[in-house]
Amino acid sequence: MTVRVMRLQRFAEERTERATPRRREEARKEGRVAKSPELTSAIALAALLVALRVVGPMVWGQWENIFQLDFSTSPPKTWTTGTVEQLLVEQMMSALKALAPIVGTALVMGVAVAVMQVRPMLTVKQLIPDFSRLLPTAGVKRLFSASSLVELGKSLSKLVIVGALSYSSISRMAGEIRGYDDTDVMSIPSVVGSLVFQLGIRIAVAMVLLAALDFAYQRYAFEKSLRMTKQEVKDEWKDTEGNPQIKSTIRKRARQIAMRRMMQAVPKADVVVTNPTHFAIALRYDGATMTAPEVVAKGADALAQRIKVVASESGVPMVENKPLAQSLYRMVDIGEQVPAELYQAVAEVLAYVYRMRATGRR
């Protein structure tokens, strides 16, 4: 028996339940979201290479024009530190202007991917220093944690992929360069540049695929970290929806208040239509303010008897009409007006009551 109880307790403490919306919102406020920095850097690298491919020839052409313009003109009579510095500044500013579209594309893509992963969010909790992370025990735990092993695996994977692709490209590059003779030496830089760019593209594609796997893992790990025990779900439900006992008490009090108001409205009714034993419906009609008679109270069985007692004590006439009482009880709620299909029957009852009052009978 003791073993069984321990197993049940252990099962109850296991995090088997999916995170509730409230749990997810709290995690988001704390800055805990599923994100992969690898994906951001990989997409930024790919965007950089694509922009370099598209804008690169134009940038290279601008640089050639700048160098030709600077060095084809007659040099100053005397080279001074000032003239050299001015030339270097001009060259640097020209280079920055030429590279701005390439760097800007990579930066925009990196920011866009980061925002797409976490959605716009503002939290200051991540900026607050956590001094507990400085403890040696915390460092040892992080060193041998599952996340550290995953990060080590990612680093080794990137090292192996980059190394294999680089070795393949360099071997291919060396093979092609050996085949050139002296007349083709001038074309070697362009060939090397093309092969290096192809290597960059291959590495970028591999990094994107690896980052996509990392993002899938990060989402899995994040969802796992948010899982809740059954008891936590119950406690959260009590916090958000309220304690069931308290809610039951509130509903009971609300019913008592509604019942008290209903019974207080019976003496103001014009007539109580009865079944006669099962139903009692109190009707009130004021031609100046109402378009149709209104049900101010209704009840069945014991409640019907209470309505009849109050009506009798208050001098409200009671009329027995089984079909009408059943229809009113079934079709009209308290505070609602009588529907059109019951106008005729209700009008006959009210006319009868008014005649009784006119003759002084109850």
Side-chain angles (χ1 to χ4, degrees):
M1 180 63 70
T2 303
V3 175
R4 183 177 300 177
V5 171
M6 293 179 61
R7 289 179 178 175
L8 290 175
Q9 291 177 347
R10 191 182 306 115
F11 177 75
E13 294 175 355
E14 290 181 354
R15 298 184 178 276
T16 57
E17 305 302 308
R18 291 177 59 87
T20 59
R22 180 183 177 185
R23 180 67 167 258
R24 295 180 185 278
E25 186 63 25
E26 290 176 351
R28 183 171 179 81
K29 289 180 180 179
E30 295 174 357
R32 295 168 53 207
V33 291
K35 60 182 182 296
S36 172
E38 305 290 338
L39 185 61
T40 302
S41 58
I43 295 295
L45 174 61
L48 177 65
L49 292 174
V50 172
L52 186 62
R53 181 66 175 179
V54 175
V55 188
M58 181 181 67
V59 173
W60 183 255
Q62 291 179 356
W63 282 356
E64 286 185 337
N65 293 334
I66 291 171
F67 278 108
Q68 290 175 2
L69 181 64
D70 288 338
F71 293 102
S72 61
T73 56
S74 56
K77 295 181 180 180
T78 57
W79 286 98
T80 64
T81 304
T83 57
V84 173
E85 288 181 352
Q86 181 180 0
L87 180 61
L88 291 177
V89 170
E90 292 176 355
Q91 291 285 351
M92 187 178 297
M93 294 302 299
S94 300
L96 291 176
K97 290 180 181 179
L99 291 175
I102 300 174
V103 178
T105 300
L107 180 62
V108 170
M109 287 299 298
V111 172
V113 172
V115 173
M116 287 174 61
Q117 288 187 78
V118 302
R119 294 177 297 164
M121 59 180 292
L122 179 62
T123 177
V124 297
K125 190 165 185 178
Q126 294 293 327
L127 302 179
I128 301 175
D130 186 5
F131 295 103
S132 63
R133 298 176 64 88
L134 301 177
L135 297 176
T137 55
V140 173
K141 289 181 179 179
R142 289 196 302 270
L143 183 61
F144 295 98
S145 63
S147 59
S148 298
L149 294 177
V150 171
E151 293 299 324
L152 177 61
K154 289 192 298 184
S155 300
L156 293 177
S157 299
K158 289 190 289 186
L159 181 62
V160 170
I161 291 173
V162 173
L165 293 177
S166 301
Y167 177 79
S168 175
S169 298
I170 292 174
S171 299
R172 178 183 173 188
M173 188 187 307
E176 292 190 10
I177 292 177
R178 284 196 210 97
Y180 285 90
D181 53 24
D182 295 339
T183 59
D184 297 326
V185 171
M186 297 302 295
S187 61
I188 290 180
S190 63
V191 173
V192 172
S194 176
L195 292 176
V196 170
F197 183 80
Q198 293 178 16
L199 172 61
I201 291 293
R202 294 171 65 186
I203 292 176
V205 171
M207 291 298 100
V208 170
L209 295 177
L210 186 62
L213 294 176
D214 178 60
F215 180 68
Y217 170 78
Q218 295 296 338
R219 285 189 63 88
Y220 165 77
F222 178 69
E223 291 294 330
K224 186 177 180 181
S225 68
L226 291 183
R227 285 180 184 173
M228 307 170 65
T229 64
K230 293 183 181 295
Q231 186 61 41
E232 287 176 338
V233 174
K234 291 180 181 179
D235 293 341
E236 182 180 303
W237 183 85
K238 289 181 180 180
D239 292 339
T240 56
E241 300 296 332
N243 191 298
Q245 295 180 352
I246 297 177
K247 291 183 65 177
S248 177
T249 303
I250 293 174
R251 285 195 297 265
K252 184 178 179 179
R253 290 180 180 177
R255 286 195 299 266
Q256 291 174 348
I257 294 172
M259 181 70 65
R260 190 180 306 115
R261 289 178 179 174
M262 185 183 73
M263 300 308 294
Q264 290 173 351
V266 172
K268 302 176 183 179
D270 293 311
V271 63
V272 173
V273 182
T274 64
N275 193 30
T277 57
H278 295 295
F279 301 115
I281 298 92
L283 298 175
R284 178 175 176 270
Y285 179 63
D286 183 357
T289 59
M290 299 179 182
T291 58
E294 179 183 309
V295 173
V296 295
K298 71 174 186 177
D301 300 327
L303 183 56
Q305 300 305 318
R306 290 181 58 187
I307 293 174
K308 290 164 63 176
V309 170
V310 174
S312 177
E313 294 174 350
S314 305
V316 178
M318 289 180 283
V319 176
E320 180 181 337
N321 189 324
K322 294 181 181 180
L324 180 59
Q326 293 174 358
S327 299
L328 288 171
Y329 187 84
R330 185 178 66 254
M331 298 173 59
V332 189
D333 289 330
I334 298 173
E336 293 183 354
Q337 292 185 344
V338 173
E341 56 265 33
L342 298 179
Y343 279 176
Q344 182 64 33
V346 172
E348 293 177 358
V349 170
L350 289 175
Y352 172 73
V353 171
Y354 295 155
R355 285 196 302 269
M356 289 176 60
R357 287 180 179 175
T359 59
R361 294 182 299 168
R362 292 179 57 185

